[in-house]
Amino acid sequence: MDERDLFLAELLRHEGCGDHISDACPGCPCLKSTPPRYRCQDCLDSQLYCGLCIVRNHLRLPTHHIEEWNRQFFECLSLKAMGLRIQLGHAIGESCILPRRAFNDDFVLIDANGIHEIGLDFCGCMTSQTHTKQLLCLIRRKDHYESFMHMVREWCHLVMLKCSGHGHDPSGMAGTSEGQCAVLCPACPQPGKNLPDNLEDAPKAKGWLYSLFLAIDANFHLKRRAVSSDETNPSLSRETSYKSYISDRAGDVQEKSTCSSHNAMNMAETKLSQGLAATGVGTVDCARHNMKCPNGVGDLQKGEKYLNMDYLFFSTLRHSTVDILNVSYDIACQWHKFLWSRMVSLPPSHHLNYLARTIRFFVPKFHLPAHVSKCQTIFSFNFTHFVGHTDGEAPERGWSNINSVASSTKAMGPGCRRDMLDNHFGDWNWKKVVGLGSSLLLKIKEAQIEKADHGAAFEEFDSVITSEHRFTWKAEMEAWEENPNDTTVTNPLQPKGIAITQASARLSLAQLKAEELECGVDLSLHPDVSPSVLIASGIDLKEEHSTRWRLKAIVDGMGIHATDRQKLSILCMRMSLRQKIESWRQTQLLYVPLVQVLLAASPTGSLNDAELMKLWLPSALNSNACDLCLQHIEWELCFAQAHDALEELRQCLHREWIRGQGANTCAQNALTHIHTRQVACVKRYRTAWTTLKSLAPILKKADWCGRLQDLSDDDLMWIWMMDGVDSGAAGGDVDGVRVECEEVDLLQEEMRRVLQFFNWQANWWEGQGVRRVRTAAHHEATAQDESLHAYASRQANICWRLAAHFHSIWAPLMSPQDTLGNPAATLPLPDLTIPDMP
């Protein structure tokens, strides 16, 4: 590790011509050829040669990588493009009188060092063998995999230092701080790099555009066995402060969750860790662009403890001066409670002036339904302004990429594993940077469509509420949004009424029955079945109508050639259904004797017609033929059933996002399951609504249609704004559709930041090219200076080209003041699917 500066300097020297600057090619006998401009990356000889010599030298080495000096830096060039042809069927160097090129001259060779296009000629002589045999006669190369793996760790570390510009730093490795080698997110606010100079003068209404979104999560696939040690297998990067802090406070006891039973908290002390040095990895990510933050990755020794996640969170924010933070964590409701008191135990360098900042905590959208009702309002992205369509689930999307290396890193030593994860996370961030052009373009196109749809929905909603409701709700919302950290200001989006569910309705009926028994009143005609239990059981049987009709559809679909197994299955289903109905009917006759008359008047059904048996609930009888108490009970239960069905239907419609995934078995199965649930919800609601419609005239219910409407396939908008819309119902409140148009503004600002970041980075690299030259008192290594300048120029060129490409595809969607001029606008665009070799 003491020789890293020397290795890094030598690595950068090879970016230029080095000591091989000459006007004559050393491979030509007369030394009067064209100036040498080509070199090979894979040969031991780094000398520059002319084109003819470089081709002649590689007749036996067609898979080597060739570079051409363009007077500023080296560019990649294939041997095929230089005219190298490989002739099969003859000795190397010999030509064939009847050469036949490979089909379309498009022969591709996959080698250990990459994928290569080869100029291949088959022998066409009379004595030649088949093309397949000629290929099989090629001599296999020696396997260098084992020796290569011994070097890959050091090589990756040096490349990381090289790409982050520390080879140009006069102080060398000694001047490298923690986190400086990380690939930064160009779209996130980076003070001094992509934020306006007069940011403090920005209007308050636009300040939210410069907020930082962070997402915290843990991955328990990335375990590490208790093998080796830090002394035996040290990391090439420093991690001593994190491990020292964790070991010093390993005995701290973590408080239990007061929300739902979060295993991440309650089982942190009991997480299976036998034989493991690390049970997983904790990370802090950019929540909107899914990149790992600097200093935001660390091992978890025993579950997802606050001790680890606190350190990673404050390490990420050590050098950040952003005033507005939006932090997403699946247990944020518990984690944030004593966060600032726990911060005191951290090193002073990790302390955050939270009183001078606006910090909001959220729970990711997919994880939010697992929390209690209060958390689902307070920590919801959907109920908060100035977050766009952020969902907080960014870390979950990245785990699938890193989980594939878990089996390899599990058996590594601590240093090797950390360096390997750093390499993979750096590669992940770079791929995200290159893909920002297409990802942000897709997001803003979708956001503009959604903006228009939300606007139309809001106008429709706004037109049906009174001015009094509108004024009151607007005042409450503005007061709450202007004081995001003031807990005394009431959240207007928090539910004020009690949710109507079947469970709550049945509980209320049971409690009413208990009160009657305490008063000595018992109207039950059966010792075990009360009137409410009877009707509830009947409704449960009625819900099985979907099963009954599905049974009939199965029977009709089997045809006349059903197998014995199919017949047995249908018979068992019919017997079970009939037994349930007849058992329930014995109790029904005690409370509704008229049913006996109706059954006697109707034809007796056979076992084959079990799915067609009628239940004769109170809603199906005349008003005078049934006890009014039973009709009231059925009304309450069906009213709750309708609300339950609508809530489940909303959940199904919310999950239509899966349609955006590629056509694969898992996605299609999930989508089919959601669609089946959606159809069942619609049927259940329509059955309940029909029952309510029958009972409403009898029970004189007049205002129920304002809350529950007929559900048609063409009009589902009303289900999103049904609660208390000027219905006059007690406890009703306005809980309408909110227009989330800030996503477009946020994406446009992110596009501007990306272009400005590349502009800054390109200028920074151009400055690095002369950094050591200007600080050196006596400069003699001309070749070293040229190499430093060449690599800096190449890196700056990559930044300019990325900026030019992104600007070309974003320009129609950006405002004129966000455009960025640069001198590389006319340069050829890079192949972004295969980024330049750093």
Side-chain angles (χ1 to χ4, degrees):
M1 295 179 65
D2 297 335
E3 301 294 333
R4 282 186 294 181
D5 286 333
L6 176 61
F7 275 86
L8 188 57
E10 184 65 17
L11 194 63
L12 282 167
R13 190 177 70 85
H14 287 285
E15 290 294 325
C17 294
D19 301 326
H20 306 292
I21 301 176
S22 174
D23 294 331
C25 173
C28 296
C30 59
L31 299 181
K32 294 182 179 180
S33 63
T34 57
R37 295 186 297 122
Y38 305 94
R39 74 177 183 185
C40 178
Q41 286 185 318
D42 301 310
C43 291
L44 294 177
D45 180 13
S46 58
Q47 178 69 52
L48 296 182
Y49 293 92
C50 67
L52 292 176
C53 289
I54 205 76
V55 170
R56 184 173 61 250
N57 294 344
H58 287 83
L59 290 174
R60 299 176 182 270
L61 303 169
T63 61
H64 279 199
H65 297 86
I66 306 302
E67 293 182 323
E68 179 185 9
W69 178 251
N70 65 3
R71 299 185 183 277
Q72 285 188 315
F73 53 87
F74 281 100
E75 291 182 307
C76 295
L77 187 67
S78 70
L79 283 166
K80 178 182 177 181
M82 297 185 66
L84 176 63
R85 308 292 304 181
I86 303 301
Q87 178 65 62
L88 300 182
H90 293 269
I92 295 177
E94 292 183 4
S95 59
C96 179
I97 60 174
L98 295 173
R100 295 183 179 180
R101 293 195 173 190
F103 182 74
N104 286 338
D105 197 18
D106 188 22
F107 188 84
V108 176
L109 177 64
I110 301 176
D111 196 15
N113 66 345
I115 302 174
H116 309 269
E117 288 190 6
I118 302 294
L120 187 71
D121 293 334
F122 292 100
C123 176
C125 299
M126 295 293 294
T127 59
S128 64
Q129 298 174 326
T130 64
H131 290 186
T132 302
K133 187 66 177 295
Q134 291 183 47
L135 288 172
L136 292 176
C137 290
L138 293 178
I139 300 175
R140 295 182 58 187
R141 297 182 60 187
K142 184 178 178 181
D143 186 7
H144 297 286
Y145 179 76
E146 184 176 353
S147 59
F148 169 76
M149 289 304 298
H150 285 298
M151 300 159 48
V152 66
R153 181 182 171 197
E154 291 85 354
W155 172 257
C156 290
H157 182 72
L158 289 173
V159 170
M160 178 183 68
L161 295 171
K162 176 183 173 183
C163 292
S164 56
H166 291 284
H168 295 71
D169 192 341
S171 61
M173 282 302 305
T176 304
S177 303
E178 294 181 351
Q180 285 192 337
C181 294
V183 179
L184 300 179
C185 175
C188 285
Q190 307 286 353
K193 300 177 178 65
N194 61 5
L195 292 179
D197 296 332
N198 57 343
L199 183 60
E200 61 278 359
D201 299 329
K204 184 178 180 180
K206 293 294 184 181
W208 65 274
L209 290 172
Y210 311 108
S211 57
L212 177 64
F213 291 81
L214 296 178
I216 306 173
D217 198 18
N219 185 332
F220 294 106
H221 287 279
L222 295 173
K223 300 178 175 65
R224 188 182 75 81
R225 294 173 183 164
V227 296
S228 191
S229 63
D230 290 312
E231 292 74 19
T232 306
N233 186 248
S235 171
L236 298 175
S237 301
R238 294 189 294 269
E239 196 187 20
T240 54
S241 56
Y242 171 69
K243 291 186 174 180
S244 299
Y245 174 80
I246 298 300
S247 60
D248 292 342
R249 306 187 65 86
D252 290 2
V253 179
Q254 182 164 300
E255 62 267 18
K256 300 298 182 182
S257 172
T258 58
C259 181
S260 299
S261 180
H262 298 307
N263 290 339
M265 295 178 54
N266 297 337
M267 299 182 65
E269 298 291 343
T270 60
K271 195 75 176 178
L272 182 62
S273 59
Q274 184 177 2
L276 297 176
T279 58
V281 166
T283 66
V284 181
D285 293 46
C286 157
R288 285 187 59 83
H289 314 104
N290 196 8
M291 300 187 197
K292 296 292 180 285
C293 296
N295 300 320
V297 180
D299 283 343
L300 304 177
Q301 288 69 36
K302 201 169 186 179
E304 193 172 350
K305 300 180 70 173
Y306 291 165
L307 191 67
N308 303 86
M309 310 313 287
D310 291 348
Y311 193 97
L312 296 177
F313 172 69
F314 288 109
S315 294
T316 300
L317 296 174
R318 279 181 62 186
H319 305 294
S320 176
T321 58
V322 177
D323 293 330
I324 304 177
L325 296 176
N326 297 308
V327 184
S328 172
Y329 191 15
D330 51 11
I331 53 174
C333 60
Q334 304 298 309
W335 173 72
H336 89 290
K337 285 184 177 180
F338 305 104
L339 179 62
W340 310 124
S341 60
R342 296 196 303 271
M343 182 183 68
V344 179
S345 65
L346 291 165
S349 59
H350 289 62
H351 290 187
L352 184 69
N353 185 9
Y354 60 93
L355 296 177
R357 303 188 183 192
T358 299
I359 303 177
R360 300 185 294 181
F361 297 93
F362 300 91
V363 173
K365 292 183 179 181
F366 183 80
H367 292 77
L368 192 60
H371 290 246
V372 298
S373 177
K374 184 178 180 181
C375 292
Q376 294 184 27
T377 301
I378 299 176
F379 299 98
S380 172
F381 279 104
N382 292 333
F383 292 164
T384 307
H385 266 319
F386 309 134
V387 296
H389 291 301
T390 310
D391 58 17
E393 299 289 354
E396 302 291 346
R397 301 185 182 98
W399 293 142
S400 60
N401 175 74
I402 195 63
N403 283 345
S404 58
V405 306
S407 58
S408 298
T409 58
K410 186 176 183 179
M412 291 181 179
C416 183
R417 174 175 175 273
R418 172 169 176 84
D419 295 337
M420 185 63 68
L421 291 180
D422 278 348
N423 182 40
H424 277 274
F425 286 139
D427 177 68
W428 170 261
N429 279 14
W430 172 243
K431 289 177 179 176
K432 286 293 181 181
V433 170
V434 172
L436 280 174
S438 57
S439 63
L440 292 184
L441 179 65
L442 177 63
K443 287 181 179 180
I444 197 169
K445 286 182 177 179
E446 292 180 348
Q448 288 179 335
I449 296 174
E450 291 181 6
K451 178 180 179 181
D453 293 342
H454 280 297
F458 177 79
E459 293 297 332
E460 181 181 351
F461 174 75
D462 189 59
S463 64
V464 298
I465 64 175
T466 63
S467 57
E468 181 181 358
H469 274 137
R470 185 184 302 108
F471 177 80
T472 303
W473 195 59
K474 183 178 180 180
E476 292 178 354
M477 283 296 299
E478 290 177 349
W480 180 62
E481 290 167 354
E482 290 176 0
N483 301 277
N485 292 339
D486 190 350
T487 57
T488 62
V489 179
T490 304
N491 182 353
L493 298 172
Q494 187 171 349
K496 301 179 179 63
I498 300 175
I500 302 174
T501 63
Q502 292 185 78
S504 62
R506 295 187 182 191
L507 176 61
S508 298
L509 292 172
Q511 291 173 341
L512 180 61
K513 174 64 177 177
E515 292 176 1
E516 291 177 350
L517 292 176
E518 288 182 0
C519 298
V521 179
D522 185 7
L523 301 178
S524 300
L525 301 178
H526 191 282
D528 299 322
V529 182
S530 65
S532 61
V533 173
L534 172 71
I535 301 302
S537 301
I539 291 178
D540 289 341
L541 282 173
K542 192 175 181 179
E543 281 196 37
E544 293 189 19
H545 263 290
S546 58
T547 304
R548 295 163 66 184
W549 287 112
R550 186 164 61 250
L551 174 60
K552 185 176 183 302
I554 293 174
V555 174
D556 294 340
M558 288 193 308
I560 60 176
H561 300 293
T563 64
D564 290 342
R565 185 181 296 274
Q566 290 175 325
K567 293 178 180 179
L568 176 61
S569 176
I570 294 298
L571 181 61
C572 290
M573 293 173 65
R574 281 174 167 164
M575 289 172 60
S576 175
L577 180 59
R578 190 179 186 93
Q579 287 172 355
K580 287 180 182 180
I581 296 176
E582 289 182 348
S583 176
W584 173 78
R585 180 152 289 156
Q586 291 177 4
T587 308
Q588 181 191 29
L589 294 176
L590 296 176
Y591 290 95
V592 191
L594 177 64
V595 174
Q596 184 66 51
V597 179
L598 296 173
L599 291 175
S602 61
T604 303
S606 64
L607 183 61
N608 293 334
D609 297 328
E611 62 270 19
L612 304 178
M613 295 176 65
K614 297 189 66 173
L615 297 179
W616 300 109
L617 286 168
S619 57
L621 303 173
N622 295 328
S623 59
N624 298 326
C626 183
D627 187 357
L628 192 63
C629 176
L630 296 178
Q631 293 173 336
H632 274 288
I633 292 174
E634 186 179 8
W635 170 274
E636 295 296 333
L637 292 175
C638 287
F639 192 74
Q641 183 188 38
H643 282 81
D644 264 358
L646 285 181
E647 178 59 28
E648 189 174 354
L649 178 59
R650 293 189 196 101
Q651 295 296 328
C652 292
L653 294 175
H654 265 308
R655 293 176 183 175
E656 288 293 325
W657 52 265
I658 200 170
R659 290 185 181 273
Q661 298 183 1
N664 57 71
T665 303
C666 294
Q668 290 302 319
N669 287 344
L671 184 60
T672 301
H673 176 68
I674 292 173
H675 179 70
T676 302
R677 283 184 55 197
Q678 178 178 331
V679 172
C681 292
V682 171
K683 288 183 177 180
R684 189 161 64 251
Y685 174 81
R686 288 172 176 169
T687 300
W689 190 83
T690 302
T691 300
L692 296 174
K693 185 179 180 181
S694 301
L695 292 173
I698 301 173
L699 301 177
K700 296 181 173 54
K701 301 286 186 178
D703 58 349
W704 70 280
C705 284
R707 302 174 63 84
L708 300 174
Q709 303 177 24
D710 188 13
L711 186 62
S712 64
D713 295 332
D714 300 329
D715 183 17
L716 296 177
M717 181 60 67
W718 66 269
I719 72 173
W720 302 104
M721 47 188 179
M722 50 169 285
D723 293 331
V725 183
D726 283 353
S727 62
D733 64 326
V734 179
D735 186 13
V737 179
R738 182 172 61 88
V739 181
E740 299 181 23
C741 60
E742 67 261 19
E743 175 71 6
V744 175
D745 296 334
L746 191 54
L747 287 170
Q748 288 180 337
E749 167 60 21
E750 288 173 345
M751 290 177 173
R752 185 203 64 78
R753 285 201 293 255
V754 170
L755 297 181
Q756 184 175 344
F757 182 88
F758 284 140
N759 185 28
W760 167 85
Q761 196 172 42
N763 291 323
W764 181 85
W765 272 113
E766 290 178 350
Q768 297 301 302
V770 295
R771 188 177 179 186
R772 281 201 170 187
V773 176
R774 292 178 178 177
T775 57
H778 300 284
H779 181 67
E780 299 178 359
T782 305
Q784 181 71 19
D785 297 338
E786 181 190 51
S787 302
L788 292 171
H789 182 74
Y791 183 72
S793 297
R794 184 157 71 95
Q795 294 297 95
N797 179 263
I798 293 175
C799 297
W800 285 128
R801 290 192 297 165
L802 284 173
H805 175 59
F806 288 0
H807 181 266
S808 66
I809 62 177
W810 290 347
L813 301 171
M814 297 181 66
S815 54
Q817 61 268 24
D818 290 338
T819 58
L820 182 67
N822 61 75
T826 59
L827 292 176
L829 299 181
D831 181 3
L832 299 181
T833 59
I834 308 177
D836 289 359
M837 181 71 70

